[in-house]
Amino acid sequence: MTLKGKVDEDGNPLRVYIPDYIPSGGAATDFHHKMINEKSTGVKYEFLQTRAKITDEQKKYLKNTIDKFLNTYKVEPPLKGVNVCTIGQGCLGVAIVSKDTRTLSIDSKCFKENGTELFNKSVKDGWLAKTDKDIITSVLTHELGHTITSQVKNEAFWNKIKNIKTEYVQNIKENDIKNKDFISNYARKNIDEFVAESFAQATLLKNPSKYAKMVLDEVNAYFKLSSKENKLKDLKTSYPLNTQEIVNCISDIESLKEGLKILNNLKEELGL
């Protein structure tokens, strides 16, 4: 969608993508639009922000899950925040993607019994993907799937995903819940929901649809961090350097190399 009156530094309309994780019978509300205006235009806020009451244990679980995710996948632009709040009627989660940031929100009902009942019914009806995990993990993983891929410009990746989705739609009928390769009816909504539903099922279900596994394989191939990238990420986190400090380090290393070269030449002249 395009936000009225919102433009980037080049004067172009600011485009924000909103994948809604909505259970069967649910509907989005104007809260999304209000939240976008507040949160997707570069406003800085805490990484994990809770506007709803959840336990310390739940906060710790969310943070650990997100940290593990960010140490596994490349997210560009980076994930700036995760909100636990009241989103709106029937909506369990929402991912917001703009030019410079990615954020996601989990509805407070995911932490309550009525949310669990709503989620389980939606899975049973075939609307949402089946997983082996609870509602919090399932919704969070679905939205994290959006943060990896939504609006990422990678033609090769999207061509492969489109081919997988085409094959899925051709071979798996809507509401074909008993089919072992069924993902969900929500996965048929669009290409982004197909990726997010597949990602959640393939990550969280012991025996997922073969199509979900195919999507996960492509996500891993294009966006999973290598061990080298992870080590570099850890190094940057442990030893944050600004640009000038990096330049100084490089200069010191070059000076050291030059000094070693002079020393070796001197040793040769002295016959040492």
Side-chain angles (χ1 to χ4, degrees):
M1 65 174 293
T2 301
L3 299 180
K4 292 182 179 179
K6 299 290 182 179
V7 296
D8 62 20
E9 62 268 26
D10 300 320
N12 300 314
L14 178 64
R15 297 192 65 79
V16 180
Y17 182 74
I18 319 170
D20 295 323
Y21 195 49
I22 304 173
S24 53
T29 71
D30 288 338
F31 178 86
H32 296 130
H33 305 283
K34 180 182 177 183
M35 185 169 62
I36 291 165
N37 283 303
E38 293 175 352
K39 293 298 178 186
S40 66
T41 53
V43 179
K44 292 184 179 179
Y45 53 96
E46 291 182 17
F47 181 75
L48 177 58
Q49 179 171 290
T50 56
R51 297 180 179 179
K53 188 178 290 186
I54 63 174
T55 66
D56 289 339
E57 185 179 346
Q58 288 170 330
K59 288 180 184 178
K60 183 178 179 181
Y61 174 75
L62 285 174
K63 188 178 185 309
N64 288 342
T65 302
I66 296 161
D67 286 347
K68 182 179 179 181
F69 171 83
L70 293 176
N71 284 328
T72 304
Y73 291 100
K74 187 184 301 181
V75 178
E76 292 293 341
L79 179 65
K80 291 293 186 182
V82 176
N83 301 298
V84 177
C85 55
T86 301
I87 297 176
Q89 181 183 358
C91 189
L92 300 178
V94 58
I96 302 174
V97 178
S98 66
K99 182 178 179 181
D100 301 314
T101 187
R102 290 168 185 263
T103 67
L104 63 87
S105 295
I106 307 299
D107 193 275
S108 56
K109 72 171 68 70
C110 294
F111 300 85
K112 300 175 182 177
E113 187 176 340
N114 64 333
T116 298
E117 292 173 357
L118 180 65
F119 176 76
N120 290 341
K121 182 180 184 305
S122 297
V123 171
K124 185 178 180 180
D125 292 344
W127 179 248
L128 297 180
K130 181 181 178 181
T131 74
D132 290 328
K133 301 296 183 179
D134 61 14
I135 180 176
I136 299 172
T137 305
S138 300
V139 173
L140 181 61
T141 303
H142 173 103
E143 298 304 338
L144 287 172
H146 280 306
T147 68
I148 305 173
T149 61
S150 291
Q151 291 211 347
V152 168
K153 295 179 180 178
N154 190 315
E155 188 175 352
F157 169 77
W158 286 115
N159 283 339
K160 290 182 179 180
I161 296 299
K162 287 175 184 176
N163 290 337
I164 297 170
K165 184 174 185 290
T166 298
E167 186 179 340
Y168 174 79
V169 171
Q170 288 175 346
N171 295 327
I172 308 298
K173 296 179 181 179
E174 193 170 355
N175 295 319
D176 193 5
I177 302 172
K178 293 183 179 180
N179 192 314
K180 62 183 177 64
D181 290 318
F182 178 79
I183 300 173
S184 72
N185 289 332
Y186 195 45
R188 305 172 77 95
K189 181 180 178 183
N190 57 47
I191 195 74
D192 283 289
E193 299 304 344
F194 180 71
V195 171
E197 284 286 85
S198 297
F199 181 78
Q201 188 183 82
T203 304
L204 304 176
L205 187 65
K206 184 177 180 180
N207 295 306
S209 160
K210 71 176 182 181
Y211 299 103
K213 288 194 291 185
M214 290 164 68
V215 170
L216 180 62
D217 287 343
E218 295 302 333
V219 170
N220 288 343
Y222 283 92
F223 303 106
K224 196 168 186 178
L225 292 169
S226 65
S227 56
K228 183 178 179 181
E229 288 173 314
N230 255 323
K231 288 178 181 177
L232 181 60
K233 189 175 181 180
D234 289 341
L235 184 63
K236 287 179 179 178
T237 302
S238 302
Y239 305 99
L241 300 174
N242 60 37
T243 304
Q244 188 56 51
E245 288 173 325
I246 294 172
V247 170
N248 292 342
C249 286
I250 294 173
S251 178
D252 290 343
I253 292 170
E254 293 298 330
S255 298
L256 182 60
K257 287 168 63 178
E258 188 63 30
L260 287 172
K261 188 186 295 183
I262 294 172
L263 181 61
N264 287 332
N265 290 339
L266 184 59
K267 286 170 68 177
E268 286 181 10
E269 290 179 10
L270 297 175
L272 298 177

